[in-house]
Amino acid sequence: AQSVTQLGSHVSVSEGALVLLRCNYSSSVPPYLFWYVQYPNQGLQLLLKYTTGATLVKGINGFEAEFKKSETSFHLTKPSAHMSDAAEYFCAVLGGTSYGKLTFGQGTILTVHP
Amino acid sequence: ETGVTQSPTHLIKTRGQQVTLRCSSQSGHNTVSWYQQALGQGPQFIFQYYREEENGRGNFPPRFSGLQFPNYSSELNVNALELDDSALYLCASSLAASGGYNEQFFGPGTRLTVL
């Protein structure tokens, strides 16, 4: 079975500051890992994904994440926050099944202050 | 290329009623997954349909059922609505292929409120 824990339900940063959203996962098989962003009253948009290969993955809007197997982590970072980054972010894991069941974390709301 | 669409956008029902939510998959996609997102929570997998058959189910009771049509659009039906069914229901479509990962593209969701 897979599970995802996002540390911190709310994160607040100043515009231009580093964004760090934490995600730890549990999976009995090599995982596929994802970060999604959700703006108010909208669906989920894929930011980036790790499937195989390079452990540092780059996504849209300047976000990146690093898969660390030894730490079972997949933290999301962005060097410089922008006001438009304010949203809710979800980490998700896929693995060990023959179909596409995504298991999501509880989400982290990112607030960006001017 | 048309993305995933869902209807209606909002819906209000009373406890005990039945509801049908609809999803049109992205052009070329043959698989539809449904998720329930309660307020303040992450989405939870309900079930997936592939080639008109259920292809996996999460921890939801049988009163949650679905259909997939030959054009790959889908319906989610919920019978005997309960207050806890109030949530955002998300549909995601993908193109299933042998092996590997098939990216899921999400629709905007249907907000269901049960009174």
Side-chain angles (χ1 to χ4, degrees), chain A residues 32 34 36 38 41-44 46 49 51 88 90 94 98-102 104-106, chain B residues 33 35 37 40-43 45 48 55-57 88 90 100-101 103-104 106-108 111:
Chain A
Y32 289 174
F34 309 86
Y36 286 87
Q38 186 175 38
N41 301 314
Q42 295 188 25
L44 300 172
L46 181 66
K49 62 180 181 282
T51 53
E88 189 162 18
F90 292 94
L94 173 74
S98 60
Y99 56 88
K101 172 188 175 183
L102 286 166
F104 287 86
Q106 296 284 79
Chain B
S33 303
Y35 294 83
Q37 185 179 14
Q41 305 291 320
F45 176 77
Q48 183 182 82
N55 183 41
R57 189 178 184 91
L88 180 68
L90 295 166
Y101 160 70
E103 181 173 342
Q104 297 185 25
F106 284 82
R111 174 74 62 186

Side-chain angles (χ1 to χ4, degrees), chain B residues 70-101:
Chain B
N71 66 354
Y72 303 124
S73 65
S74 177
E75 287 182 355
L76 164 65
N77 298 288
V78 187
N79 293 322
L81 284 168
E82 301 177 0
L83 297 179
D84 285 349
D85 296 332
S86 296
L88 180 68
Y89 289 84
L90 295 166
C91 166
S93 74
S94 57
L95 175 62
S98 59
Y101 160 70

Side-chain angles (χ1 to χ4, degrees), chain A residues 11 14 17 42 46-47 57 63 66 75 77 86 91:
Chain A
V11 170
S14 298
Q42 295 188 25
L46 181 66
L47 276 178
V57 293
F63 285 93
E66 185 171 11
H75 300 332
T77 61
C91 181

Side-chain angles (χ1 to χ4, degrees), chain B residues 3 10 12 17 22 29 39 53 59 64 67 88 90 113:
Chain B
H10 295 84
I12 300 175
Q17 286 188 312
R22 295 178 175 82
H29 287 182
L39 196 62
E53 292 193 359
N59 188 27
F64 285 78
L67 285 172
L88 180 68
L90 295 166
T113 301

Side-chain angles (χ1 to χ4, degrees), chain A residues 8-76:
Chain A
S9 58
H10 290 80
V11 170
S12 180
V13 301
S14 298
E15 192 173 20
L18 171 72
V19 175
L20 171 60
L21 305 183
R22 301 178 186 273
C23 171
N24 287 90
Y25 70 90
S26 173
S27 177
S28 56
V29 297
Y32 289 174
L33 294 160
F34 309 86
W35 276 99
Y36 286 87
V37 61
Q38 186 175 38
Y39 297 98
N41 301 314
Q42 295 188 25
L44 300 172
Q45 180 183 10
L46 181 66
L47 276 178
L48 49 78
K49 62 180 181 282
Y50 169 78
T51 53
T52 58
T55 56
L56 181 63
V57 293
K58 297 185 184 299
I60 62 172
N61 301 338
F63 285 93
E64 62 182 36
E66 185 171 11
F67 169 58
K68 292 187 176 180
K69 183 179 179 180
S70 62
E71 298 177 8
T72 60
S73 69
F74 190 57
H75 300 332
L76 180 70

